[in-house]
Structures are given as C-alpha cells and as structure tokens.
Amino acid sequence: MPSVEGLGARRAALQALDAVLRRGQTLDVAGSAIRNLSPPDHALSIAIAGEALRRLPNLDALIDGATRQRLPDDSKARMVLRLALAQKIGLGTPDHALVATALPLVDGGPRRLVHGVLGTLLRRGIPAMDAPNLPADVEERWRAAWGDDVVQAARRQIAKRPPLDLSFADNSEAQAYADAHEGISLAPKHVRLKSSSVAELAGFGEGRWWVQDLAASLPSRLIPDDAKNVLDLCAAPGGKTMQLAVAGHGVVSVDASKSRLARLRENLQRTHLDARLVEADALKWKADRQYDAILLDAPCSAIGTFRRHPEVLYRARPKIIADGANLQLELLDRAAQWLQPAGRLVYSVCSLEPQEGEEVIARFISDHPDYRIESATGLPDFVPVSSEGWVRILPGLLESEGGLDGFFIARLVRAG
C-alpha cells in the first residue's frame, strides 16, 4: 500500500494524545518520546494533538451526535476522530486530507465506522468553536471561585495559540526590539510577539533575551532593589533567576532537577549572566545563611498555563491540587527560616485554584505571626492588586493583547 503524505505526523499525534489522556503525561513529555520524524512533522504532530486538547469536550459532543452508540473515551476510533476534527477546526486541513490520514490510523479496527462518522460531520459542517468548553469539573470550580465572566474568558483563550513573550536585560533594547519586530512592550524589559520559532528570532544565539510569559515575570519584579542576596527556590528553568541576576542581585538558585538545572546553566551562559546553582530538594536542603529576599515560585498544578499547555486541564485533578497546596505550604515553612528580619518573601504559583494561592497564604500567615502581607507595589499598571495586597491574574486580563497565564503572587515581609 502506498504511503499517505503526512500520515507519520498523524500517527505521532495519536500517540501523543493517548499518552496525555490515558497515561497523564504532559504534551512536552509525550512529544519527546516521538522518534524518526522530521522537525516540521514533529511540530505538526504536537500542533494537532494540542488543537484536540483545546476543544476536547466540544469535539466529543460532535462525535456523540453522529454515532448511535457512544464510543468509549479511550477508544482508538474516538481518538482518531478527535484528531481529524481538530485539524479541520484549528488548522484548516482540507477534507480529503483529513479522511486520507484518519482511516489508516484505524486499520484493523472500525475503519468503516470512522469513515461514516467523519463523512457525516463533514457534510453537516463543522462549527468554528471560537470559545470551546473546558472540562466540566474545571468550569464548575472556576465559576464558583471567579464567576462566569472568567469562565467565558478562559473559553475564548483556550481556542487561541498564545503570543510569545520575551524578557530583556535592558529596557531600551526591549523597546527597540519591539519596534523592529512588530511587537509590543507591555512592561519594562518585555516584548510580546506573534508566536514564532524561537531559535530563528534575532538575538537568541547572542543571549539578548529569554522566553518568559509576562505573568511569570511579575514575581521577580517584587524583589526589592536593595536586596543584595536573593534565594530563588524551585528555580529552573530559570527565567526568574535571570531577571534577578540582571537586576544586580547576588542569586543562589536551588532546584531538585538535574536536567532542569542543566537547562538553567545553559540559559545563564547564553545570556552571559551569573548565579550560584544548587541541585537539592528544598525540603531537605539547609541554607548556610539568611537572605535579604527569597523568591518561591512553587510547584503546583500549573493549571494557569492552560493557554500554552491545554493538557493541564485534564491532568490537574483535585488530588493533585490538594497535594500541591500541601507541598507549597511545606516549602513556605522551610523558606521562612532563611529570611532575614525585615526581609521579603515572594510566593507565586501558576495556578487558577484558590486552594493553591489564597488559601495557602492564609494558612501560612496563621501559622507565622512574624510574617504579614505587604502590598504588591511597583508592578505594571495593568496588574490588579487585591485589597489584601496580593495579585491574582485571571483569564480576561489583557485579552485583546493575547492574555496572560493564570497566576497568584503574594509578597510577605518578616518582622524586623
């Protein structure tokens, strides 16, 4: 049988989608397991799987509306149909290419069923899905916590690929880069571009900038300028470490992952910046001094990054969220021992779950009477600061400019 053009990329997309939904892997991890594809086909496979994850509930509703008997969630037929429909909606793939690359994926299986369902749906016409549903349990939690407007904004955001944010060492260079590359600057030392291949952008090899979502750049901006010694916990892959180094702080960066620290070391070398790197579990590591300031960007469900990583919506189950909150509190307890009196401790998580943000800080303050929340001043004007003094980035903020990852950030001060 002659090979079908593009079939390898579709097989890889099927493999990646299965790894995410059945084995709970991230799309990055699933993608790294794909072998023997050209770079363009590898990128296409991840793009196809990503588009399916962005619209999964709506794709399933379409499939269920065209079948007499419901297909099992993890069946190959459903997986293949999801991928085919996602290509039509998200990538504009022609109908003939959808059919030609879908049917071989179910050879030895319900090929006639897939052909029939796909043909029926294509004849009916596939809706655009500019604001697809999120998983029902996620929508229920976020509607209860933030209201329906935030859920609607999240729906709109999940349908779009996010822009590319770059951080620079020098603000004047950032402004010049934005002007030269049709970008915008939404904060000092920041440039936002339409999504592009990072390695092909001017200045990458010279270390003039690094990739960092604008929301992820906010915690480091809360470290006081006069803090000489700063501890960056759970530091890799290093965007915040580089921000701190650029600002002139002496930085010690601690992370438990050898591979992620290696990536941080490479980034420091590329950007000609310096920090002391320590491979250690922050819950077991013992600091040999106290620090003027500590930045803890804690491990969490990462559900706030759903714009870039739609699979988190299916991985961040209640147990993962609860376990993450407990770990964050442990890390805060640990970090609190290493802060100088009158020093600042900045805590952040890329989560949209109150359990991992507001509730963690409330528990910490209750257990540590020598700490209080200090208002998050000195941030860009668009950043909302609550009456309690912390920052909560929600879907809908800067939506017309491409939005932001979901974040919670609080700056704490220790009694002097």
Side-chain angles (χ1 to χ4, degrees), residues 332-385:
L332 274 171
D333 289 341
R334 192 78 171 164
Q337 306 171 28
W338 303 326
L339 190 67
Q340 293 271 22
R344 269 66 176 179
L345 170 56
V346 176
Y347 161 78
S348 63
V349 283
C350 53
S351 175
L352 284 162
E353 305 293 338
Q355 191 174 355
E356 292 189 290
E358 291 85 348
E359 293 179 21
V360 168
I361 285 298
R363 291 164 64 189
F364 176 81
I365 292 293
S366 176
D367 293 340
H368 297 80
D370 57 333
Y371 277 83
R372 63 177 176 82
I373 297 171
E374 182 179 62
S375 185
T377 55
L379 294 174
D381 291 341
F382 67 81
V383 178
V385 180

Side-chain angles (χ1 to χ4, degrees), residues 165 186-187 190 192 212-218 221 382 398 404:
D165 285 337
L186 299 171
H190 165 268
R192 171 162 287 186
Q212 184 179 34
D213 187 82
L214 179 54
S217 78
L218 299 178
R221 298 173 189 263
F382 67 81
L398 292 184
L404 298 169

Side-chain angles (χ1 to χ4, degrees), residues 157-410:
Q157 283 193 191
I158 192 67
K160 302 174 183 176
R161 296 188 190 181
L164 183 67
D165 285 337
L166 309 180
S167 284
F168 283 74
D170 180 78
N171 188 50
S172 60
E173 184 173 11
Q175 301 299 323
Y177 198 94
D179 292 341
H181 294 83
E182 299 183 344
I184 56 174
S185 180
L186 299 171
K189 301 180 182 180
H190 165 268
V191 172
R192 171 162 287 186
L193 304 172
K194 293 180 180 179
S195 187
S196 180
S197 173
V198 171
E200 295 176 2
L201 287 174
F204 175 78
E206 297 87 346
R208 292 165 57 192
W209 48 260
W210 57 93
V211 176
Q212 184 179 34
D213 187 82
L214 179 54
S217 78
L218 299 178
S220 297
R221 298 173 189 263
L222 292 177
I223 297 295
D225 293 339
D226 60 357
K228 294 181 180 179
N229 300 293
V230 180
L231 177 62
D232 185 6
L233 291 173
C234 310
K240 298 174 182 67
T241 289
M242 290 184 281
Q243 282 182 278
L244 296 170
V246 160
H249 304 294
V251 188
V252 175
S253 299
V254 179
D255 199 279
S257 170
K258 183 175 182 178
S259 61
R260 284 165 61 86
L261 271 181
R263 182 178 169 192
L264 171 50
R265 186 172 291 106
E266 291 172 359
N267 281 328
L268 288 171
Q269 291 172 349
R270 183 176 62 84
T271 54
H272 314 291
L273 297 171
D274 184 54
R276 177 188 162 204
L277 306 188
V278 179
E279 182 186 339
D281 182 342
L283 293 178
K284 299 176 182 177
W285 180 67
K286 294 182 180 180
D288 57 3
R289 59 168 300 158
Q290 288 189 312
Y291 291 84
D292 300 327
I294 298 175
L295 175 57
L296 171 60
D297 186 35
C300 67
S301 67
I303 202 166
T305 66
F306 71 93
R307 300 155 62 237
R308 303 179 189 282
H309 306 286
E311 73 272 17
V312 297
L313 296 169
Y314 300 92
R315 299 181 68 245
R317 299 302 184 189
K319 185 178 187 306
I320 288 177
I321 295 167
D323 289 348
N326 290 332
L327 174 60
Q328 292 146 30
L329 188 60
E330 287 185 73
L331 288 166
L332 274 171
D333 289 341
R334 192 78 171 164
Q337 306 171 28
W338 303 326
L339 190 67
Q340 293 271 22
R344 269 66 176 179
L345 170 56
V346 176
Y347 161 78
S348 63
V349 283
C350 53
S351 175
L352 284 162
E353 305 293 338
Q355 191 174 355
E356 292 189 290
E358 291 85 348
E359 293 179 21
V360 168
I361 285 298
R363 291 164 64 189
F364 176 81
I365 292 293
S366 176
D367 293 340
H368 297 80
D370 57 333
Y371 277 83
R372 63 177 176 82
I373 297 171
E374 182 179 62
S375 185
T377 55
L379 294 174
D381 291 341
F382 67 81
V383 178
V385 180
S386 72
S387 58
E388 296 86 354
W390 58 57
V391 171
R392 168 54 81 181
I393 304 295
L394 293 170
L397 185 64
L398 292 184
E399 184 174 354
S400 63
E401 305 294 351
L404 298 169
D405 284 351
F407 253 82
F408 175 85
I409 310 164

